[in-house]
Amino acid sequence: MSVTPEQIRATADSYIAALTAGDLEGVMSLYADNATVEDPVGGGTIHEGAAAIREFYSTVVAMKIDGEVLDARVCGNDLLFNFEITTHFDAENSATINVWDLMTHNDEGKVTSMRAYWTPENMS
Amino acid sequence: MSVTPEQIRATADSYIAALTAGDLEGVMSLYADNATVEDPVGGGTIHEGAAAIREFYSTVVAMKIDGEVLDARVCGNDLLFNFEITTHFDAENSATINVWDLMTHNDEGKVTSMRAYWTPENMS
């Protein structure tokens, strides 16, 4: 089985749709069982395997999030895409972050590696 | 020895400056001896080691190139940056390409891995 560029590109929209819907299963369905997630890159923590990835995202999807995909390019099995999400901590407090994510896919179209590039400079 | 975010960020400007100056030694000075270069990612060729990397860039710097860095972010030892270069093949023909490069640095500040993300859609 081989994955197409269109399928890889679709991960970007599916990912942001799942995050903004608070859909943990939707997020998890994008990942291979043995995937790794580093968010942010250089942050010192790499979430490895489905259980660790689920734990990471469970705190993310618990918050109200708006977001949209701004740019994406597919090269080989890699998807490099830019998105902006706004997290609403409560009625008055929110934070917007601009992220470039690099997601490497396997031949079944599942993400085996996610690396998120953002710094405090990309927050507003 | 440890490399600083500022030193990693400087690679972006040094790289484009060397490319536009046709300075092959300047490009090579950014790379570790055992580095790999994949440009574009998924293109099927990974240039491995200084000799292969030198051969790849020798054809690039032989052309007249304009370019500028458009964006950059440093996360850990990774530099993710966006640039646009215009290659002038002759007096009448040129091509502009918008690239996102991911360059991983070692603790000496040398690039150990370069991966260039661009597709035909990013050419004009």
Side-chain angles (χ1 to χ4, degrees), chain A residues 24-44:
Chain A
L24 181 57
E25 300 311 318
V27 173
M28 293 305 298
S29 72
L30 301 174
Y31 282 102
D33 286 344
N34 61 347
T36 57
V37 169
E38 187 174 7
D39 184 350
V41 171

Side-chain angles (χ1 to χ4, degrees), chain B residues 3-75:
Chain B
V3 62
T4 67
E6 292 72 23
Q7 288 173 308
I8 290 175
R9 172 63 182 78
T11 298
D13 293 322
S14 299
Y15 183 64
I16 299 305
L19 284 183
T20 56
D23 177 9
L24 181 58
E25 300 310 319
V27 173
M28 293 305 299
S29 71
L30 301 174
Y31 282 102
D33 285 344
N34 61 346
T36 55
V37 169
E38 187 174 8
D39 185 349
V41 171
T45 303
I46 299 177
H47 307 283
E48 191 165 356
I53 293 172
R54 178 178 292 273
E55 186 179 351
F56 168 67
Y57 281 108
S58 65
T59 61
V60 177
V61 299
M63 294 181 281
K64 179 172 165 13
I65 294 174
D66 298 321
E68 63 177 326
V69 177
L70 300 176
D71 197 1
R73 48 184 75 177
V74 176
C75 294

Side-chain angles (χ1 to χ4, degrees), chain A residues 23-101:
Chain A
D23 178 7
L24 181 57
E25 300 311 318
V27 173
M28 293 305 298
S29 72
L30 301 174
Y31 282 102
D33 286 344
N34 61 347
T36 57
V37 169
E38 187 174 7
D39 184 350
V41 171
T45 303
I46 299 177
H47 307 284
E48 192 166 355
I53 293 172
R54 178 179 292 272
E55 185 179 350
F56 168 68
Y57 281 108
S58 64
T59 61
V60 178
V61 298
M63 294 182 280
K64 178 171 165 16
I65 294 174
D66 297 322
E68 62 176 328
V69 177
L70 301 175
D71 197 0
R73 48 184 75 177
V74 176
C75 294
N77 278 17
D78 276 2
L79 167 69
L80 181 67
F81 69 108
N82 183 219
F83 63 91
E84 198 162 84
I85 57 172
T86 299
T87 303
H88 303 274
F89 302 110
D90 56 41
E92 291 175 3
N93 296 290
S94 66
T96 298
I97 186 165
N98 181 293
V99 181
W100 278 91
D101 260 19

Side-chain angles (χ1 to χ4, degrees), chain A residues 40-43 71-80 82 98-100 102 104 115-119 121-122, chain B residues 40-43 71-80 82 98-100 102 104 115-119 121-122:
Chain A
V41 171
D71 197 0
R73 48 184 75 177
V74 176
C75 294
N77 278 17
D78 276 2
L79 167 69
L80 181 67
N82 183 219
N98 181 293
V99 181
W100 278 91
L102 178 59
T104 301
R115 311 192 78 208
Y117 291 88
W118 59 270
T119 73
E121 290 177 8
N122 307 123
Chain B
V41 171
D71 197 1
R73 48 184 75 177
V74 176
C75 294
N77 278 16
D78 276 2
L79 167 69
L80 181 67
N82 183 220
N98 182 293
V99 181
W100 278 91
L102 177 59
T104 302
R115 311 192 77 209
Y117 291 88
W118 60 271
T119 73
E121 289 178 9
N122 307 124

